[in-house]
Amino acid sequence: MPNIALELGKQSASFGVKSAYGETVDVDGVSVTPVALAITGFGGGEMDGQGDGGGGGGVAVPLGVYVRREEGLRFEPNLIVLLTVAVPFVWVAGRALSRVIRALKK
């Protein structure tokens, strides 16, 4: 039986920069490189001699793309992800600010 930890180690060697930055694609003279936030995790163990197991998972959130044109290199964010992150942040910041103002009024 192969060692699961060694197999996971071999497979996870390709994570990191390769999972955060995609392959560069040329489209109509413009070079585009996708960028993502990639998170992975693995686990395994044995439960009181009853058996062993393991698993893993991951998620990748597309942050945007690097676009290289004749003018230079520029990062263009993914607006949907930006809004998904910004809306809860603005809500929490507004709530915190209202509590600070309420505390200063006392």
Side-chain angles (χ1 to χ4, degrees):
M1 180 170 174
N3 190 340
I4 294 174
L6 290 176
E7 291 297 320
L8 289 175
K10 288 177 187 176
Q11 292 178 3
S12 67
S14 65
F15 297 155
V17 174
K18 287 184 179 180
S19 63
Y21 296 98
E23 295 293 323
T24 302
V25 179
D26 290 325
V27 179
D28 295 332
V30 177
S31 182
V32 179
T33 305
V35 180
L37 172 66
I39 301 170
T40 57
F42 297 100
E46 184 175 342
M47 189 168 168
D48 297 331
Q50 296 176 1
D52 56 353
V59 66
V61 179
L63 298 178
V65 294
Y66 279 109
V67 178
R68 182 178 298 276
R69 294 190 175 109
E70 293 176 3
E71 302 89 41
L73 183 66
R74 190 175 115 185
F75 180 75
E76 295 183 6
N78 182 346
L79 295 178
I80 295 171
V81 173
L82 185 62
L83 287 174
T84 304
V85 171
V87 169
F89 176 76
V90 169
W91 182 81
V92 169
R95 187 141 168 110
L97 185 61
S98 69
R99 288 185 180 196
V100 168
I101 292 172
R102 191 177 312 136
L104 291 175
K105 284 185 178 180
K106 290 183 181 183

